[in-house]
Structures are given as structure tokens and as C-alpha cells.
Amino acid sequence: MVSSSSIKIFSGTTSLYLSEQIAKAYGTNLGKVSMNHYSDGEYQPSLDETVRGSYVFIVQSTFPPADNLLELLLMIDAARRASAYKIAAVIPYFGFARQDRKDKPRVAIGAKLIANLLTTAGVDRIITMDLHADQIQGFFDVPVDHLYSSTIFVPYITSLNLDNLVIASPDIGGSKRANTYSKFLHAPMVICHKYREKPNVVSEMTVIGDVKDKNVVIVDDIIDTAGTLTKAADLMMQKGAKSVRAFATHPVLSGPAYDRIAESQITEVYVTDTIPLKKPHPKIKVLSVADLFAEVIKRVFTSKSISSDLYTK
């Protein structure tokens, strides 16, 4: 058992905004990190304080560009070579998670490759949130603490006091997640069935279930181009829904996402801060995951259980 004074929390460059809040919630300061940049674009992170014998937590989401992933790998390697006791990668948003299987010939399984890279770099534990597919946990040969944004979203949805509440899944793949919310909130569930001709383009969509005169809450793990989300919201409004809101963990919000949300009939979109918003938007509200991650780090460090009293699946 390591001593209570031997925990160190460091942050990658693009997750500094969240890491500062996690460290504050934990009751400590972030470790000092500097980044040496070379004229050809190469860079080298440096941990500017001793980590010998310490349990090191490195916070970095791996959203594009790939530099964020490479920076995390280099920081893990630096901590390992500096004789850290153990190293945990805190990855609020695990990028490349949509590449979890071979859905056509001659493609990479990116999520497994990233798992291999992290393990080779020397990580002892992964702490992440709302993986695109639960089975990605099995890609690792080290412990994975998989957290759920429903811990934050369910109480918030309850606080909205929406009458005639209906939980919706934007696609068949998210039906398990929607069903969990439905059970906790004691609300019926509907499912959107979509057909894609190519990635990020929804050709057809239908709603399975009744939304007439209902306040609909769509739950999802990622909002990328917002095509599915806004199409689903507009379709539900056409079918007589009273209002449509969305709760999604990771605000990737690429390409036309902001414009689509602005032009859609969706009332509000709630996201977490696993990824920083590119810009503010009147319809988008951010709920922080900092306190949750700080509590999990504390429990991991003190070898306490991360169980149902902490979060809702």
C-alpha cells in the first residue's frame, strides 16, 4: 500500500481544462509538465517533478488530432522510465472506439490497436467513460474502470420534472443504454431505426414507439456531426412530440454539427466536458464530470470499491 502523499495527477495539453477541475475536486494540485517542441513538429513531454514510487494518474482525452494520443503515450513512457509505482491513464473520451470490429474487409480494429499501444507504453490501469462499445474493456490486459455519464444525467433529467417523459435511442445500437435510463426514470422507451448509405450520412429514419404529446429525451454516447440526433428530433416533433432534448456524453461536434443543432427543433442538448466545446452554443449545456473522476481516482488510489453506490450504469 502506497502512502497517502504519493499520488500525482498530471494533465495532457488539451485536457488541462478538465484536469484542473479534477485535481481541485480531489484536493491536490496538478503535477508540473513542460512540453519541448521542435521546428519539424516533433514534441517531447517532460514531467517536471519526481514521480519515483508515486501512483501517477495522467488525464488526457484522445479526441482528434492523433497528437493527443501520442502525447498520452509519451507521458506514460516518461512516468514509467522515472520509476513511478503505478500509472493510470484517465481517458474521459476514448477515441477510435468506433473502430471496435471489422465491419468490412481490410479495415483496422483501431480500438484494439490503441489498447495495445497503451499497454506497451506501460499503463497499469485505464479509467474512462462511456465507451462506444462495452466490449472494448476486453481489449485491455490491465484493469479498466468504465464510468457512466448516467451518474450525472439521470439526476439532472429528474430535476427537469418533465411530464409524459419518454426516453429515446437514436439507433438500435443504443437501445441497451436507453433501456437502462428508462428503468431508472420509470419512463417508456422509443427507438429510432436508421439506415446509412455511408458514415455520417443518414438516408432514412423511422420512429418505433409513441411520442405524441410526450417530452422526449434522447440519450447517446457521442454527438459527432449531429445528423442522426437532429433528424431524430425533427421526426419526433413531426409525430407530435411536445419537446425533444438530448443527453450525450462526448461532444465531438464536428463538421456541420453546430449549424444542424441550431436549425433543428431540438430544445436543448446536454453534454459533459470529456471533450472541450469548440465554441459556446445557446442550445448546448455542459455538465462536468470532474467530481466523478476525482472520486474514482481517490477510490482507486485507496483500493476501495467502485460500485453501485458511486455510479449508475
Side-chain angles (χ1 to χ4, degrees):
M1 183 73 177
V2 289
S3 67
S4 60
S5 61
S6 57
I7 184 172
K8 300 278 187 176
I9 302 176
F10 293 94
S11 176
T13 303
T14 54
S15 291
L16 183 60
Y17 72 101
L18 178 57
S19 304
E20 289 174 340
Q21 296 303 311
I22 291 174
K24 182 179 179 181
Y26 186 91
T28 189
N29 296 316
L30 280 178
K32 297 177 182 177
V33 179
S34 61
M35 194 70 62
N36 299 315
H37 290 272
Y38 300 92
S39 61
D40 64 350
E42 183 180 330
Y43 54 90
Q44 181 184 46
S46 171
L47 309 182
D48 294 338
E49 55 186 78
T50 182
V51 297
R52 184 178 297 273
S54 297
Y55 202 140
V56 173
F57 294 82
I58 302 173
V59 184
Q60 177 82 313
S61 284
T62 58
F63 52 89
D67 284 357
N68 294 325
L69 172 62
L70 181 57
E71 183 181 290
L72 173 61
L73 294 169
L74 291 170
M75 291 180 71
I76 293 168
D77 186 69
R80 179 174 61 86
R81 294 178 187 278
S83 301
Y85 167 67
K86 284 188 178 181
I87 305 165
V90 182
I91 311 174
Y93 171 67
F94 185 86
F96 299 90
R98 286 175 282 186
Q99 300 179 39
D100 62 317
R101 66 195 185 283
K102 285 188 69 174
D103 55 356
K104 60 182 179 180
R106 296 175 298 281
V107 296
I109 304 179
K112 174 57 177 171
L113 174 61
I114 303 308
N116 290 345
L117 290 171
L118 289 164
T119 303
T120 301
V123 76
D124 295 292
R125 177 179 292 270
I126 301 294
I127 303 174
T128 189
M129 174 170 276
D130 278 354
L131 290 168
H132 188 64
D134 286 346
Q135 66 265 23
I136 291 173
Q137 297 173 74
F139 292 175
F140 291 91
D141 293 323
V142 297
V144 177
D145 295 309
H146 187 201
L147 311 184
Y148 298 88
S149 60
S150 52
T151 309
I152 299 163
F153 286 163
V154 166
Y156 197 90
I157 294 170
T158 301
S159 73
L160 294 176
N161 294 315
L162 299 172
D163 61 337
N164 295 322
L165 174 65
V166 166
I167 302 299
S169 172
D171 52 37
I172 300 296
S175 58
K176 180 181 177 182
R177 180 184 302 105
N179 185 54
T180 301
Y181 277 80
S182 174
K183 287 180 178 178
F184 273 102
L185 294 165
H186 306 289
M189 183 183 81
V190 300
I191 299 174
C192 294
H193 177 66
K194 65 184 179 183
Y195 169 72
R196 291 187 189 273
E197 288 186 349
K198 56 183 179 179
N200 296 129
V201 178
V202 179
S203 301
E204 298 178 14
M205 178 177 285
T206 57
V207 177
I208 304 171
D210 180 25
V211 296
K212 185 173 176 58
D213 298 323
K214 308 290 186 181
N215 286 302
V216 181
V217 168
I218 301 173
V219 293
D220 207 354
D221 61 328
I222 297 172
I223 301 178
D224 189 352
T225 62
T228 298
L229 175 66
T230 54
K231 194 177 185 70
D234 290 347
L235 181 59
M236 289 176 185
M237 291 299 290
Q238 291 172 20
K239 290 185 173 294
K242 189 184 296 183
S243 69
V244 179
R245 292 170 176 82
F247 285 75
T249 312
H250 308 298
V252 176
L253 297 174
S254 64
Y258 279 92
D259 290 337
R260 284 175 172 172
I261 291 172
E263 295 165 4
S264 74
Q265 297 185 62
I266 198 163
T267 304
E268 292 171 318
V269 176
Y270 294 89
V271 298
T272 75
D273 50 0
T274 57
I275 300 175
L277 290 183
K278 297 180 177 69
K279 58 183 179 181
H281 190 284
K283 286 188 177 182
I284 301 176
K285 317 295 182 186
V286 180
L287 304 179
S288 183
V289 296
D291 288 347
L292 178 58
F293 274 96
E295 179 62 25
V296 170
I297 289 172
K298 186 177 297 182
R299 294 193 183 198
V300 167
F301 179 64
T302 56
S303 300
K304 292 183 179 178
S305 172
I306 303 171
S307 58
S308 57
D309 70 306
L310 176 61
Y311 63 83
T312 302
K313 289 186 178 182

